[in-house]
Amino acid sequence: MSRVNLLPPEIKERAKLRQRTALAVLGVIAILVLVGAFYVLEQMNLSNAQDELAAQEQTNATLQTEISSLDQFGALETELKEKQALEDAVYTNELAFSGVLMDVSHVIPPDAVLTSMAAQVGASGTADAVVETVEGAPVGTITFEAASNDLESVAMWLTRLEQVKGWINPFSTTMTETGPRTRQYTFSSTVDLSPDALTERGRRANEAAAG
Amino acid sequence: MNKRAPIFVLIAGAVIAILAVMFLVMPKRGEVSDAQDELVTAEQMEQELQLKLAQLEEARDAAPETNKEIRDIETLIPPTADEPGMILLLQSAADRAGVDPFTIAPALPTLSGDGRFSVISVSLDAQGSYFNLEEFLYNLETLPRAAKVISISVTASVASTDTTTTTTTTTTTPTENELGSQIVVEFYTTDLDAGPGSAPGPSDTPGAEGTG
């Protein structure tokens, strides 16, 4: 049996429109609820982050207080470092001259006699000392005046000078026979001192100065 | 009712939703992001503070040794020129080595190149045998106060055994096997304004501070 709708089409159309409008409103409300939910979620995240931040700042403040109470020991360490730097500066280019005399007594040939000797290294805190440290150039020089019974002794002297640790560039500038056919000579020579000739603390100081 | 009412509702809803996201959700999200960044920074700071605290605790534990090292260095490089102490040290080093230091000439203190300490350069004329001089140099190198020999010149002395005594001085000329030597040795002080005409006492500088 067929059914007949007696409602006018306008009313049916209006009902459909109301239904669509209601659906649209519901959709909008759903979206706004979703947005609101996001907002609430972010608010919770913010609250959590702020709580954690406050706790972290409290921890940091506690640590800072502990650090403040120990600051004096930090200052002590700083003072020690300054003093050590000072010590390094003082011992820059330190050479053990007692060792130099000992070495000379070991290397001088049996038939040679030392008549004079002079040794010198760079002084503390001078510009020269710093440059020498940086370039690794000789840090000092020893000059000798001596006499020998023959030229072989002079050659032996120069050879032995170079065998001492840190002694470099031995060179004899004059060899003069004391008289005709005497075969006896006076001679002068020099030897440079490399950084290896320095004391351990002198080398350490130079390394510290070179950075 | 307008046929386009649902569309208007959707558009209005979309506009409201977009505005809500733009003016409520996004700023809140920004605040969360800022707070998290601050938290990360605070956590990094905690690590730094923990590290610093550990270093300070280590420094506290090592404080007695640190104090001792500072005192040792202050003995090496005293806060004042202390010339009497310097003279006594030189005399003691010479006596132990059997060397006769007949001239001791300390120069006025001069500021080092880097301005951190003063240098007192002392010229010594001393006599003794070769090995006496060697021992004297060794004694200088191992003094409780920092002393650095800068130069030495050794020459053979004139053989003689004469001794001249006057009312104020005794001069002994060298005997055979004795050598004459000229030694320049540097002493140091953290007093940056030492010597005649300066303010007495140590300088008020970090390098010259006491250990407290």
Side-chain angles (χ1 to χ4, degrees):
Chain A
M1 190 160 75
S2 62
R3 298 173 71 181
V4 178
N5 191 345
L6 297 176
L7 277 174
E10 296 82 22
I11 291 173
K12 192 178 175 185
E13 195 65 31
R14 239 180 276 150
K16 272 188 181 174
L17 186 62
R18 268 200 299 273
Q19 196 180 7
R20 282 183 197 148
T21 307
L23 279 173
V25 168
L26 281 175
V28 167
I29 288 170
I31 289 169
L32 288 179
V33 165
L34 202 63
V35 170
F38 270 123
Y39 179 80
V40 170
L41 191 70
E42 290 300 332
Q43 180 64 47
M44 284 168 63
N45 284 343
L46 178 63
S47 182
N48 285 343
Q50 282 173 337
D51 287 349
E52 283 181 48
L53 182 62
Q56 188 63 57
E57 281 173 348
Q58 180 62 40
T59 306
N60 289 358
T62 308
L63 284 171
Q64 193 63 59
T65 307
E66 285 182 54
I67 285 170
S68 298
S69 70
L70 297 174
D71 262 349
Q72 55 178 317
F73 299 106
L76 198 66
E77 287 272 299
T78 306
E79 188 184 348
L80 176 62
K81 280 179 186 155
E82 284 171 358
K83 297 274 183 194
Q84 285 170 334
L86 198 66
E87 188 183 0
D88 283 343
V90 158
Y91 284 119
T92 304
N93 280 350
E94 188 199 35
L95 178 72
F97 279 83
S98 58
V100 168
L101 290 194
M102 179 65 84
D103 289 333
V104 168
S105 70
H106 287 162
V107 299
I108 191 160
D111 50 358
V113 179
L114 203 62
T115 52
S116 72
M117 185 189 109
Q120 185 167 10
V121 287
S124 293
T126 62
D128 285 349
V130 173
V131 169
E132 284 159 359
T133 301
V134 171
E135 293 178 354
V139 294
T141 311
I142 312 176
T143 57
F144 304 94
E145 298 288 338
S148 72
N149 287 339
D150 49 39
L151 283 175
E152 284 80 359
S153 294
V154 179
M156 184 190 289
W157 164 250
L158 292 173
T159 304
R160 286 183 172 186
L161 281 180
E162 202 164 28
Q163 288 168 354
V164 179
K165 186 187 175 193
W167 292 18
I168 53 173
N169 308 328
F171 201 79
S172 188
T173 48
T174 57
M175 285 151 276
T176 311
E177 197 168 18
T178 54
R181 300 185 186 281
T182 58
R183 308 277 298 170
Q184 293 187 331
Y185 289 85
T186 58
F187 63 95
S188 56
S189 59
T190 64
V191 66
D192 290 334
L193 300 167
S194 79
D196 288 339
L198 300 176
T199 60
E200 194 182 325
R201 62 188 176 190
R203 278 199 298 272
R204 201 172 52 232
N206 282 7
E207 283 165 11
Chain B
M1 185 180 271
N2 193 325
K3 283 183 182 176
R4 293 178 181 167
I7 295 169
F8 290 145
V9 167
L10 283 174
I11 289 171
V15 168
I16 291 169
I18 288 167
L19 288 175
V21 167
M22 279 176 64
F23 293 106
L24 291 176
V25 177
M26 295 305 283
K28 193 57 74 179
R29 200 159 204 183
E31 284 177 45
V32 172
S33 178
D34 289 347
Q36 282 172 340
D37 287 347
E38 282 179 48
L39 182 61
V40 169
T41 306
E43 283 171 346
Q44 286 170 346
M45 184 179 280
E46 187 198 353
Q47 287 177 357
E48 287 167 20
L49 291 173
Q50 291 278 17
L51 188 67
K52 192 173 178 186
L53 182 64
Q55 287 170 341
L56 286 173
E57 282 172 344
E58 210 172 292
R60 180 193 57 199
D61 295 343
E65 200 178 324
T66 306
N67 266 320
K68 185 185 174 302
E69 281 185 59
I70 289 172
R71 280 198 303 275
D72 288 348
I73 295 175
E74 281 180 345
T75 306
L76 284 171
I77 310 162
T80 59
D82 187 23
E83 194 180 16
M86 193 173 74
I87 292 167
L88 292 175
L89 285 173
L90 285 172
Q91 182 65 58
S92 164
D95 288 348
R96 280 183 286 132
V99 163
D100 178 24
F102 63 90
T103 305
I104 299 177
L108 292 177
T110 54
L111 206 57
S112 66
D114 57 9
R116 287 193 292 171
F117 54 91
S118 293
V119 182
I120 305 164
S121 184
V122 181
S123 297
L124 293 163
D125 285 344
Q127 288 173 345
S129 72
Y130 188 88
F131 291 102
N132 289 149
L133 288 175
E134 183 201 320
E135 190 177 346
F136 179 52
L137 288 168
Y138 177 78
N139 290 344
L140 288 178
E141 288 153 12
T142 52
L143 285 178
R145 181 170 176 174
K148 189 167 75 176
V149 178
I150 297 302
S151 68
I152 177 173
S153 169
V154 181
T155 50
S157 294
V158 179
S160 172
T161 55
D162 291 346
T163 301
T164 309
T165 306
T166 67
T167 51
T168 53
T169 58
T170 301
T171 308
T172 307
T173 50
T175 56
E176 204 164 0
N177 292 329
E178 282 210 330
L179 303 173
S181 69
Q182 292 179 316
I183 299 169
V184 177
V185 57
E186 283 183 350
F187 288 85
Y188 308 95
T189 173
T190 50
D191 188 357
L192 304 182
D193 184 25
S198 66
S203 297
D204 187 19
T205 61
E209 278 173 7
T211 53

